[in-house]
Amino acid sequence: MTEAVRDLAHLSHVELLTPRPDESLAYFRDLLGMEVAAEQGDSVYLRGFGDYELASLKLTASAQAGVGHVAYRTHSPEALERRVQALEEGGAGGQWLDGDRGHGASYSFLDPDGHRLELFYESERYEATPELQPALKNQPQRYPGRGAGVRHLDHVNFLAVDPGENRVFLERHLGLRLTEQIVLDDGVEAGVWLASNQKSYDLTYTRDLTGARGRLHHIAFFVDQREDVLRAADIFLEHGIVMESGPHKHAIQQTFFLYTWEPGGNRVEICSGGYLIFDPAHEPVVWSQAERAKGQAWGMQTVASFHIRGTPPVAEEEALLAGAAR
Protein backbone atom coordinates (compact mmCIF):
# COMPACT_ATOMS: atom_id res chain seq x y z
CA MET A 1 0.00 0.00 0.00
CA THR A 2 1.40 3.39 -1.02
CA GLU A 3 1.68 5.83 1.88
CA ALA A 4 -0.63 8.82 1.54
CA VAL A 5 0.83 12.20 0.59
CA ARG A 6 0.21 14.86 3.22
CA ASP A 7 1.97 17.90 1.73
CA LEU A 8 -1.01 20.26 1.74
CA ALA A 9 -1.92 21.84 5.09
CA HIS A 10 -5.29 23.38 4.29
CA LEU A 11 -7.44 25.38 1.91
CA SER A 12 -6.20 28.95 2.35
CA HIS A 13 -8.21 31.38 0.27
CA VAL A 14 -10.34 31.94 -2.81
CA GLU A 15 -10.42 34.84 -5.26
CA LEU A 16 -14.02 35.65 -6.16
CA LEU A 17 -14.79 37.79 -9.21
CA THR A 18 -17.71 40.22 -9.15
CA PRO A 19 -19.15 42.74 -11.63
CA ARG A 20 -20.76 44.60 -8.68
CA PRO A 21 -17.82 45.06 -6.30
CA ASP A 22 -19.39 47.59 -3.91
CA GLU A 23 -22.54 45.53 -3.39
CA SER A 24 -20.56 42.28 -3.07
CA LEU A 25 -18.30 43.91 -0.51
CA ALA A 26 -21.33 45.00 1.54
CA TYR A 27 -22.67 41.42 1.42
CA PHE A 28 -19.47 39.86 2.78
CA ARG A 29 -18.60 42.65 5.22
CA ASP A 30 -22.00 43.61 6.60
CA LEU A 31 -24.16 40.51 6.16
CA LEU A 32 -21.56 37.77 6.65
CA GLY A 33 -19.63 39.83 9.22
CA MET A 34 -16.22 39.59 7.58
CA GLU A 35 -13.49 42.16 8.20
CA VAL A 36 -11.59 44.05 5.51
CA ALA A 37 -7.93 43.10 6.00
CA ALA A 38 -6.38 44.95 3.04
CA GLU A 39 -7.12 46.63 -0.28
CA GLN A 40 -5.00 46.60 -3.41
CA GLY A 41 -5.92 47.70 -6.92
CA ASP A 42 -9.32 46.28 -7.86
CA SER A 43 -9.28 43.79 -4.97
CA VAL A 44 -10.42 43.81 -1.35
CA TYR A 45 -9.13 41.14 1.04
CA LEU A 46 -11.53 39.88 3.72
CA ARG A 47 -11.32 37.49 6.64
CA GLY A 48 -13.50 35.56 9.06
CA PHE A 49 -12.87 36.03 12.76
CA GLY A 50 -11.29 32.57 13.05
CA ASP A 51 -8.87 32.83 10.11
CA TYR A 52 -5.26 32.76 11.30
CA GLU A 53 -3.98 34.07 7.97
CA LEU A 54 -4.46 37.65 6.81
CA ALA A 55 -7.42 36.87 4.54
CA SER A 56 -9.44 33.97 3.16
CA LEU A 57 -11.37 35.88 0.49
CA LYS A 58 -9.96 38.08 -2.27
CA LEU A 59 -12.86 39.97 -3.83
CA THR A 60 -11.89 41.30 -7.25
CA ALA A 61 -13.85 43.60 -9.56
CA SER A 62 -14.39 41.92 -12.93
CA ALA A 63 -16.62 42.03 -15.99
CA GLN A 64 -18.31 38.79 -14.95
CA ALA A 65 -18.82 36.65 -11.87
CA GLY A 66 -16.78 33.53 -11.15
CA VAL A 67 -13.62 32.44 -9.41
CA GLY A 68 -10.14 33.77 -10.14
CA HIS A 69 -8.19 31.14 -8.26
CA VAL A 70 -8.22 28.86 -5.23
CA ALA A 71 -5.11 28.53 -3.07
CA TYR A 72 -3.75 25.89 -0.71
CA ARG A 73 -0.97 26.36 1.81
CA THR A 74 1.58 23.55 2.05
CA HIS A 75 3.11 22.14 5.23
CA SER A 76 6.62 23.40 4.41
CA PRO A 77 8.78 24.87 1.64
CA GLU A 78 9.95 21.34 0.90
CA ALA A 79 6.35 20.14 0.58
CA LEU A 80 5.71 22.95 -1.89
CA GLU A 81 8.69 21.89 -3.99
CA ARG A 82 7.54 18.27 -3.97
CA ARG A 83 4.08 19.19 -5.25
CA VAL A 84 5.53 21.45 -7.94
CA GLN A 85 7.83 18.66 -9.05
CA ALA A 86 4.90 16.21 -9.17
CA LEU A 87 2.86 18.62 -11.29
CA GLU A 88 5.69 19.30 -13.72
CA GLU A 89 6.69 15.65 -14.06
CA GLY A 90 3.03 14.81 -14.66
CA GLY A 91 2.80 17.28 -17.55
CA ALA A 92 0.62 19.72 -15.58
CA GLY A 93 3.24 22.37 -14.88
CA GLY A 94 2.30 26.01 -14.42
CA GLN A 95 4.26 29.07 -13.39
CA TRP A 96 5.68 30.76 -10.33
CA LEU A 97 4.09 34.03 -9.22
CA ASP A 98 5.71 36.61 -6.97
CA GLY A 99 2.94 36.36 -4.39
CA ASP A 100 0.02 38.44 -3.20
CA ARG A 101 -1.15 40.30 -0.12
CA GLY A 102 -0.80 37.93 2.79
CA HIS A 103 1.46 35.30 1.24
CA GLY A 104 4.73 34.77 -0.58
CA ALA A 105 5.61 33.17 -3.90
CA SER A 106 3.00 30.78 -5.26
CA TYR A 107 2.86 28.16 -7.96
CA SER A 108 -0.11 28.62 -10.30
CA PHE A 109 -1.53 25.86 -12.53
CA LEU A 110 -4.78 24.59 -14.06
CA ASP A 111 -6.79 21.48 -13.27
CA PRO A 112 -8.14 19.40 -16.19
CA ASP A 113 -11.34 21.48 -16.29
CA GLY A 114 -9.51 24.81 -16.47
CA HIS A 115 -9.86 26.06 -12.90
CA ARG A 116 -6.82 27.92 -11.61
CA LEU A 117 -5.19 26.63 -8.44
CA GLU A 118 -2.23 27.98 -6.50
CA LEU A 119 0.15 26.48 -3.94
CA PHE A 120 2.30 28.48 -1.51
CA TYR A 121 3.98 28.19 1.88
CA GLU A 122 5.13 31.61 3.13
CA SER A 123 2.14 33.23 4.82
CA GLU A 124 1.40 36.32 6.88
CA ARG A 125 -0.15 35.57 10.27
CA TYR A 126 -2.95 37.99 11.11
CA GLU A 127 -2.31 40.49 13.90
CA ALA A 128 -5.50 41.98 15.31
CA THR A 129 -5.84 45.75 15.49
CA PRO A 130 -6.57 47.18 18.98
CA GLU A 131 -10.32 47.35 18.37
CA LEU A 132 -10.38 43.71 17.22
CA GLN A 133 -8.20 42.23 19.96
CA PRO A 134 -9.91 39.10 21.33
CA ALA A 135 -10.37 38.38 25.03
CA LEU A 136 -8.86 34.92 24.54
CA LYS A 137 -5.31 34.79 23.22
CA ASN A 138 -5.96 31.54 21.33
CA GLN A 139 -8.44 33.26 19.00
CA PRO A 140 -7.05 35.39 16.14
CA GLN A 141 -9.68 38.10 16.30
CA ARG A 142 -12.63 39.28 18.34
CA TYR A 143 -16.03 37.90 17.35
CA PRO A 144 -17.53 40.73 15.28
CA GLY A 145 -21.12 40.53 16.52
CA ARG A 146 -22.16 41.65 13.03
CA GLY A 147 -24.19 39.79 10.45
CA ALA A 148 -23.84 36.01 10.30
CA GLY A 149 -20.41 36.16 11.99
CA VAL A 150 -18.66 33.60 9.77
CA ARG A 151 -15.64 31.95 11.37
CA HIS A 152 -13.61 30.81 8.34
CA LEU A 153 -13.63 29.68 4.73
CA ASP A 154 -14.89 26.11 4.71
CA HIS A 155 -14.78 24.78 1.15
CA VAL A 156 -15.01 25.48 -2.56
CA ASN A 157 -17.23 23.59 -5.01
CA PHE A 158 -16.20 23.65 -8.67
CA LEU A 159 -18.37 22.59 -11.58
CA ALA A 160 -16.62 20.26 -14.03
CA VAL A 161 -17.35 18.34 -17.20
CA ASP A 162 -15.76 15.24 -15.63
CA PRO A 163 -15.46 15.27 -11.81
CA GLY A 164 -13.71 11.89 -11.90
CA GLU A 165 -10.91 13.18 -14.13
CA ASN A 166 -10.28 16.05 -11.73
CA ARG A 167 -10.35 13.68 -8.75
CA VAL A 168 -7.62 11.52 -10.24
CA PHE A 169 -5.56 14.62 -11.09
CA LEU A 170 -5.73 16.01 -7.55
CA GLU A 171 -5.11 12.67 -5.87
CA ARG A 172 -2.07 12.04 -8.06
CA HIS A 173 -0.47 15.48 -8.09
CA LEU A 174 -1.55 17.12 -4.81
CA GLY A 175 -2.28 14.17 -2.54
CA LEU A 176 -5.87 15.15 -1.84
CA ARG A 177 -7.95 12.18 -0.66
CA LEU A 178 -11.44 11.20 -1.74
CA THR A 179 -13.90 11.04 1.18
CA GLU A 180 -17.32 10.77 -0.52
CA GLN A 181 -18.59 10.51 -4.08
CA ILE A 182 -21.71 10.07 -6.20
CA VAL A 183 -21.52 7.30 -8.80
CA LEU A 184 -24.43 7.08 -11.26
CA ASP A 185 -25.87 3.85 -12.63
CA ASP A 186 -23.73 4.19 -15.78
CA GLY A 187 -20.55 4.47 -13.70
CA VAL A 188 -20.11 8.22 -14.16
CA GLU A 189 -18.77 10.11 -11.15
CA ALA A 190 -21.28 12.94 -10.75
CA GLY A 191 -19.66 14.40 -7.65
CA VAL A 192 -16.44 14.00 -5.65
CA TRP A 193 -15.55 15.40 -2.22
CA LEU A 194 -11.82 15.80 -1.48
CA ALA A 195 -9.86 16.65 1.66
CA SER A 196 -6.36 17.88 2.41
CA ASN A 197 -6.47 17.19 6.16
CA GLN A 198 -8.83 15.79 8.82
CA LYS A 199 -11.72 17.90 7.62
CA SER A 200 -14.01 15.64 5.66
CA TYR A 201 -13.69 17.91 2.61
CA ASP A 202 -12.45 21.28 1.43
CA LEU A 203 -12.71 20.94 -2.36
CA THR A 204 -15.61 19.48 -4.34
CA TYR A 205 -16.29 18.85 -8.02
CA THR A 206 -19.81 18.27 -9.29
CA ARG A 207 -20.86 17.66 -12.87
CA ASP A 208 -21.58 20.71 -15.05
CA LEU A 209 -24.71 19.78 -16.98
CA THR A 210 -24.15 22.64 -19.45
CA GLY A 211 -20.90 21.09 -20.70
CA ALA A 212 -18.99 24.31 -19.95
CA ARG A 213 -15.57 24.27 -18.33
CA GLY A 214 -13.89 26.21 -15.54
CA ARG A 215 -17.02 27.33 -13.72
CA LEU A 216 -17.76 27.82 -10.02
CA HIS A 217 -20.67 26.22 -8.21
CA HIS A 218 -20.19 27.89 -4.82
CA ILE A 219 -17.88 28.93 -2.02
CA ALA A 220 -18.80 28.21 1.61
CA PHE A 221 -18.15 29.86 4.96
CA PHE A 222 -18.43 28.13 8.33
CA VAL A 223 -20.45 29.31 11.33
CA ASP A 224 -20.33 27.77 14.79
CA GLN A 225 -23.79 26.24 15.08
CA ARG A 226 -27.04 25.51 13.27
CA GLU A 227 -28.73 28.44 14.96
CA ASP A 228 -26.24 30.75 13.24
CA VAL A 229 -27.38 29.40 9.85
CA LEU A 230 -30.99 30.13 10.80
CA ARG A 231 -30.04 33.61 11.97
CA ALA A 232 -28.25 34.17 8.66
CA ALA A 233 -31.49 33.29 6.84
CA ASP A 234 -33.32 36.02 8.76
CA ILE A 235 -30.56 38.50 7.98
CA PHE A 236 -30.71 37.69 4.27
CA LEU A 237 -34.50 37.96 4.32
CA GLU A 238 -34.33 41.45 5.84
CA HIS A 239 -31.83 42.61 3.20
CA GLY A 240 -33.49 41.15 0.11
CA ILE A 241 -30.81 38.52 -0.57
CA VAL A 242 -32.06 35.62 -2.69
CA MET A 243 -31.94 32.30 -0.82
CA GLU A 244 -31.80 29.42 -3.27
CA SER A 245 -31.99 26.37 -1.00
CA GLY A 246 -32.19 25.59 2.71
CA PRO A 247 -31.82 25.92 5.61
CA HIS A 248 -31.59 22.14 5.69
CA LYS A 249 -29.16 19.27 6.28
CA HIS A 250 -27.06 17.60 3.61
CA ALA A 251 -26.96 13.83 3.41
CA ILE A 252 -23.46 13.94 1.93
CA GLN A 253 -21.01 15.31 4.53
CA GLN A 254 -23.89 16.03 6.97
CA THR A 255 -23.46 19.82 6.98
CA PHE A 256 -26.37 22.11 7.89
CA PHE A 257 -26.63 24.55 4.99
CA LEU A 258 -28.12 27.64 3.40
CA TYR A 259 -27.38 28.70 -0.19
CA THR A 260 -27.67 32.33 -1.30
CA TRP A 261 -26.71 34.46 -4.28
CA GLU A 262 -24.43 37.37 -3.44
CA PRO A 263 -25.10 40.58 -5.43
CA GLY A 264 -22.29 39.90 -7.91
CA GLY A 265 -23.98 36.69 -9.03
CA ASN A 266 -21.95 34.03 -7.20
CA ARG A 267 -23.53 31.29 -5.10
CA VAL A 268 -22.41 31.38 -1.45
CA GLU A 269 -23.14 28.77 1.22
CA ILE A 270 -23.36 29.35 4.96
CA CYS A 271 -22.75 26.04 6.71
CA SER A 272 -22.24 24.40 10.08
CA GLY A 273 -21.56 20.92 11.38
CA GLY A 274 -20.12 18.12 9.28
CA TYR A 275 -17.57 15.66 10.62
CA LEU A 276 -13.84 15.03 10.96
CA ILE A 277 -11.94 11.96 9.74
CA PHE A 278 -9.43 10.42 12.11
CA ASP A 279 -9.23 6.94 10.56
CA PRO A 280 -6.04 6.74 8.43
CA ALA A 281 -7.62 3.86 6.49
CA HIS A 282 -10.89 5.69 5.79
CA GLU A 283 -12.70 4.31 2.75
CA PRO A 284 -14.64 6.75 0.54
CA VAL A 285 -18.40 6.71 1.04
CA VAL A 286 -20.13 6.00 -2.28
CA TRP A 287 -23.68 7.25 -2.94
CA SER A 288 -25.74 5.64 -5.69
CA GLN A 289 -28.07 7.37 -8.12
CA ALA A 290 -31.10 5.95 -6.30
CA GLU A 291 -29.84 7.11 -2.92
CA ARG A 292 -29.29 10.66 -4.15
CA ALA A 293 -32.76 10.71 -5.72
CA LYS A 294 -34.17 10.59 -2.17
CA GLY A 295 -33.05 14.18 -1.65
CA GLN A 296 -31.26 15.74 1.29
CA ALA A 297 -30.91 14.20 4.75
CA TRP A 298 -34.48 15.00 5.82
CA GLY A 299 -36.01 14.45 2.40
CA MET A 300 -35.99 17.93 0.87
CA GLN A 301 -35.54 17.83 -2.90
CA THR A 302 -32.94 20.24 -4.20
CA VAL A 303 -34.23 22.94 -6.57
CA ALA A 304 -33.35 22.53 -10.26
CA SER A 305 -31.23 25.68 -10.38
CA PHE A 306 -28.81 24.15 -7.87
CA HIS A 307 -27.79 21.49 -10.40
CA ILE A 308 -27.62 23.87 -13.38
CA ARG A 309 -26.56 27.41 -12.51
CA GLY A 310 -22.93 28.39 -11.95
CA THR A 311 -20.59 31.28 -12.62
CA PRO A 312 -19.81 32.66 -15.04
CA PRO A 313 -23.33 32.03 -16.37
CA VAL A 314 -23.73 30.39 -19.80
CA ALA A 315 -26.63 30.40 -22.27
CA GLU A 316 -27.20 26.66 -21.89
CA GLU A 317 -28.51 27.17 -18.35
CA GLU A 318 -31.85 28.60 -19.47
CA ALA A 319 -32.64 25.70 -21.80
CA LEU A 320 -31.85 23.18 -19.06
CA LEU A 321 -33.98 25.06 -16.52
CA ALA A 322 -36.87 25.21 -18.98
CA GLY A 323 -36.60 21.47 -19.51
CA ALA A 324 -36.53 20.82 -15.77
CA ALA A 325 -39.70 22.87 -15.31
CA ARG A 326 -41.69 20.76 -17.79
Side-chain angles (χ1 to χ4, degrees):
M1 179 177 177
T2 303
E3 186 173 356
V5 173
R6 291 290 183 264
D7 281 342
L8 301 192
H10 65 92
L11 175 67
S12 171
H13 62 267
V14 57
E15 180 184 20
L16 198 67
L17 308 178
T18 172
R20 300 167 68 178
D22 292 340
E23 294 171 72
S24 293
L25 173 59
Y27 170 92
F28 288 104
R29 181 191 59 208
D30 302 334
L31 304 188
L32 266 59
M34 302 183 77
E35 296 289 340
V36 173
E39 298 183 46
Q40 183 172 294
D42 291 331
S43 299
V44 179
Y45 300 76
L46 297 110
R47 54 175 286 101
F49 76 92
D51 286 319
Y52 80 90
E53 293 183 289
L54 179 70
S56 57
L57 174 64
K58 179 181 180 181
L59 191 62
T60 299
S62 177
Q64 60 183 3
V67 65
H69 73 275
V70 166
Y72 275 87
R73 190 182 184 195
T74 64
H75 274 292
S76 66
E78 293 77 16
L80 175 57
E81 292 295 339
R82 285 193 294 270
R83 290 308 94 213
V84 170
Q85 182 179 355
L87 286 162
E88 293 182 343
E89 289 180 351
Q95 62 179 332
W96 283 99
L97 303 177
D98 290 338
D100 200 349
R101 291 297 297 268
H103 69 84
S106 61
Y107 191 77
S108 175
F109 61 97
L110 299 178
D111 69 13
D113 206 74
H115 304 98
R116 184 160 296 281
L117 301 170
E118 291 184 13
L119 304 177
F120 71 93
Y121 172 69
E122 296 294 338
S123 178
E124 177 182 346
R125 181 174 290 274
Y126 173 73
E127 294 291 339
T129 56
E131 65 273 15
L132 292 176
Q133 284 291 334
L136 299 176
K137 64 190 299 182
N138 56 1
Q139 183 168 300
Q141 176 197 308
R142 175 180 297 176
Y143 177 77
R146 182 180 69 251
V150 298
R151 180 178 283 271
H152 57 74
L153 176 66
D154 189 78
H155 64 270
V156 174
N157 186 329
F158 284 139
L159 288 168
V161 171
D162 185 350
E165 179 185 19
N166 288 274
R167 170 187 61 78
V168 171
F169 175 87
L170 293 168
E171 287 175 326
R172 179 176 300 156
H173 299 303
L174 300 190
L176 293 181
R177 59 175 175 166
L178 178 70
T179 60
E180 299 200 36
Q181 65 182 153
I182 300 171
V183 180
L184 303 181
D185 294 344
D186 60 5
V188 170
E189 294 181 54
V192 295
W193 283 256
L194 301 153
S196 60
N197 49 42
Q198 287 181 315
K199 277 181 84 279
S200 60
Y201 71 116
D202 45 34
L203 186 59
T204 303
Y205 288 79
T206 48
R207 190 169 54 161
D208 195 327
L209 299 180
T210 70
R213 291 183 177 273
R215 299 207 301 156
L216 173 69
H217 189 273
H218 71 268
I219 65 172
F221 291 91
F222 185 88
V223 291
D224 286 338
Q225 54 188 325
R226 291 181 181 181
E227 186 62 35
D228 292 329
V229 179
L230 298 177
R231 183 164 60 90
D234 283 333
I235 292 170
F236 294 136
L237 176 65
E238 293 291 349
H239 290 84
I241 298 297
V242 174
M243 291 179 278
E244 181 187 32
S245 184
H248 211 269
K249 181 179 178 178
H250 280 303
I252 297 175
Q253 301 293 346
Q254 299 186 35
T255 43
F256 195 73
F257 68 86
L258 170 64
Y259 290 94
T260 73
W261 291 97
E262 60 89 14
N266 296 290
R267 184 186 283 111
V268 178
E269 179 186 8
I270 309 301
C271 65
S272 183
Y275 62 92
L276 300 175
I277 296 175
F278 298 102
D279 181 3
H282 173 80
E283 291 293 330
V285 176
V286 180
W287 298 83
S288 70
Q289 188 168 334
E291 288 170 331
R292 292 307 304 129
K294 295 177 181 178
Q296 299 301 331
W298 301 328
M300 183 188 78
Q301 292 295 316
T302 307
V303 295
S305 60
F306 187 80
H307 297 294
I308 295 170
R309 292 202 185 279
T311 49
V314 292
E316 290 82 356
E317 291 179 347
E318 301 311 318
L320 288 168
L321 285 169
R326 288 198 292 268

